[in-house]
Amino acid sequence: MSHIVKTHKRLKGVYWISSEEGISKLATLNLSPGKKVYGERLIRINDKEFRIWDPYKSKLAAAILRNVPNIPIHPGNRILYLGAASGTTVSHISDIIGESGCIYCVESSPRPLRELLSNVCAFRKRVFPIFADARLPERYRVLLEKVDMIYCDVAQPEQAKILSDNAKIHLRHGGSAMLAIKARSINSTRKLSEIFKEEVEKLKANNFYINTVVSLRPYDKANAMVVSEYKG
Ligand SMILES: C[S@@+](CC[C@H](N)C(=O)[O-])C[C@H]1O[C@@H](n2cnc3c(N)ncnc32)[C@H](O)[C@@H]1O
């Protein structure tokens, strides 16, 4: 089957791949050709290999498909990723930032971290694993330089606080942050909109200027994505 590739209009390093039936899917250019990370489809077009990016498995892909206008991830960026898990979204960010950028991946659970090491870090030079608790950002202060952007997707009740505490130490002034609000890790019964609003208020109180808040439905029922700039 033949495919057509087009660059995403607003996001450098992100592509649309269309099939003969006219179905378009999000993709990134594979920085480690031949290697899959989470069973994603690989498609070769004109000597380049693309990885289809699944919005049901990555909240960042869901946010892009929900048309978030100002995703602050660019080639060459230095990124701190909190809650890296086994590297599904990390790997696509790594494709986007390329080898001139780097990504520090904080994860507190040994099992996904092992998969991150063997499936992602082993094949990508600039993806650095950090086995640590994101609630204690002081502990990895010495391991990284200030970053351009923090992406926070931790399964913890205090998500806005975790992002803010990390920003104080690790984010450069004027840097950006994305927070995937996992509402059901915060409260299992309260209205989603109330939980989202509260987390956003906590960010505002900690020197974040909010650009966008978007629900990730239909890809992800109980989560929202916040895009912000850090003025701290
Ligand atoms: C929803 S998963 C992240 C999925 C991942 N961001 C992706 O899109 O591929 C949340 C992750 O947060 C991790 N986590 C939970 N509490 C944490 C903490 N205090 N510090 C670091 N990671 C934590 C969990 O182990 C889990 O891997």
Side-chain angles (χ1 to χ4, degrees):
M1 187 191 283
S2 69
H3 292 88
I4 295 170
V5 60
K6 282 188 184 156
T7 53
H8 191 284
K9 278 195 185 123
R10 286 184 318 240
L11 273 170
K12 204 166 176 206
V14 179
Y15 301 85
W16 290 107
I17 307 267
S18 310
S19 64
E20 280 164 352
E21 294 90 44
I23 299 168
S24 292
K25 295 194 168 166
L26 214 55
T28 55
L29 187 61
N30 196 354
L31 203 60
S32 59
K35 302 286 177 207
K36 294 183 183 189
V37 173
Y38 59 103
E40 72 278 18
R41 199 164 159 209
L42 304 180
I43 293 178
R44 281 198 83 78
I45 304 173
N46 302 333
D47 290 338
K48 288 183 174 161
E49 187 179 87
F50 296 87
R51 301 167 57 226
I52 298 296
W53 194 357
D54 186 343
Y56 292 92
K57 293 187 175 160
S58 168
K59 296 176 199 79
L60 180 55
I64 295 170
L65 291 181
R66 293 286 282 110
N67 273 324
V68 170
N70 41 15
I71 304 270
I73 299 175
H74 310 287
N77 275 173
R78 188 181 300 142
I79 291 180
L80 173 60
Y81 193 117
L82 307 172
S86 51
T88 299
T89 302
V90 164
S91 63
H92 287 287
I93 294 180
S94 158
D95 285 345
I96 295 170
I97 63 177
E99 283 186 343
S100 59
C102 71
I103 176 161
Y104 301 100
C105 306
V106 177
E107 173 55 54
S108 61
S109 178
R111 212 172 115 196
L113 191 83
R114 263 199 304 277
E115 287 176 33
L116 176 77
L117 283 167
S118 56
N119 293 338
V120 184
C121 304
F123 303 104
R124 292 164 185 260
K125 287 182 204 143
R126 310 268 294 159
V127 179
F128 304 116
I130 300 178
F131 181 35
D133 185 336
R135 292 172 297 184
L136 305 168
E138 271 289 345
R139 296 212 174 154
Y140 42 91
R141 185 192 278 270
V142 293
L143 298 180
L144 52 146
E145 296 167 69
K146 290 236 178 209
V147 297
D148 301 302
M149 193 266 177
I150 301 181
Y151 185 93
C152 181
D153 182 15
V154 281
Q156 285 288 333
E158 297 209 299
Q159 293 157 24
K161 180 175 185 329
I162 289 172
L163 172 56
S164 303
D165 291 350
N166 273 271
K168 276 175 202 145
I169 297 175
H170 298 296
L171 186 57
R172 67 167 170 81
H173 175 78
S176 308
M178 292 183 77
L179 173 64
I181 305 178
K182 298 169 64 60
R184 294 305 173 221
S185 296
I186 295 171
N187 187 293
S188 58
T189 52
R190 279 182 53 212
K191 256 178 104 177
L192 294 176
S193 56
E194 281 174 17
I195 298 174
F196 297 154
K197 202 169 163 217
E198 262 178 31
E199 291 304 287
V200 166
E201 289 307 318
K202 286 179 200 163
L203 288 182
K204 284 183 186 166
N206 278 284
N207 295 320
F208 287 92
Y209 172 82
I210 307 299
N211 286 325
T212 309
V213 184
V214 73
S215 146
L216 297 181
R217 279 174 183 268
Y219 308 104
D220 203 314
K221 284 188 189 137
N223 298 330
M225 186 66 81
V226 184
V227 182
S228 61
E229 276 165 53
Y230 189 54
K231 306 294 182 193

